[in-house]
Amino acid sequence: GESVGLHLPTLSVQEGDNSIINCAYSNSASDYFIWYKQESGKGPQFIIDIRSNMDKRQGQRVTVLLNKTVKHLSLQIAATQPGDSAVYFCAENMNTGFQKLVFGTGTRLLVSP
Amino acid sequence: GAVVSQHPSWVICKSGTSVKIECRSLDFQATTMFWYRQFPKKSLMLMATSNEGSKATYEQGVEKDKFLINHASLTLSTLTVTSAHPEDSSFYICSALRELSYNEQFFGPGTRLTVL
């Protein structure tokens, strides 16, 4: 079936380092991808998105890269801070017309001071 | 803008009782809302799509008689867990779809349900 998965369940970094979180997706028809941050006991928080007609998009300290050839998505966080510690999910829009999102398994980012 | 609230934020109930969770879009109207379930250290799993003025669309494996969804207005959807059992204990999250130049889902803060 269609799925979105992540390579690393936990990523530990030092404060100030750059973090890269990866995601693989399997539905080549998906046209929209989003990265969410979820802190413990809270709902997902939008970080950045990218459409399938782009391969890179930058925000404040974050960059999303999309490689449609290998169906790979990554989130880069520059100068990682302790406040970035959370679980990060990628999600893909299945392009079914109903705006359904399929979430990946998640990566926990731990930032040490 | 684009704030979504949920009420209650947590609830504890006894087995066999029913629990209603509300999802509200506070500053925009949402024809479509979504209900997700999340187990500890797991990802979000879509349960159903809630459509204002019509029946909800349930994902495969989700019991519609168990999880009743009502989307009676453009700012409110409710999820009722009927005859709750301990295995229904979970984190329930809703999202509301804001339809602008392109659609975007905004998530609520979640409701922690514990069934004793």
Side-chain angles (χ1 to χ4, degrees), chain A residues 11 21 25 37 55 60 71 74 94:
Chain A
L11 176 64
I21 300 172
Y25 65 94
K37 173 185 180 182
D55 54 20
Q60 189 175 16
K71 299 177 187 172
S74 69
M94 300 294 284

Side-chain angles (χ1 to χ4, degrees), chain B residues 15-95:
Chain B
S15 288
T17 61
S18 295
V19 175
K20 180 184 285 188
I21 302 170
E22 294 184 348
C23 178
R24 294 181 184 273
S25 56
L26 299 185
D27 50 3
F28 67 99
Q29 293 183 329
T31 305
T32 304
M33 293 184 175
F34 301 89
W35 286 97
Y36 296 83
R37 182 174 182 176
Q38 185 177 32
F39 291 105
K41 299 183 180 181
K42 296 294 183 181
S43 187
L44 282 75
M45 181 190 74
L46 179 65
M47 298 174 65
T49 303
S50 173
N51 305 296
E52 188 268 337
S54 63
K55 292 182 178 180
T57 304
Y58 290 82
E59 294 300 301
Q60 190 173 7
V62 178
E63 299 176 61
K64 60 181 180 181
D65 295 331
K66 174 83 174 167
F67 299 99
L68 301 179
I69 292 173
N70 188 327
H71 194 154
S73 78
L74 288 173
T75 59
L76 174 64
S77 175
T78 60
L79 169 69
T80 301
V81 183
T82 62
S83 187
H85 291 284
E87 57 266 29
D88 298 324
S89 298
S90 191
F91 194 50
Y92 292 89
I93 304 172
C94 74
S95 70

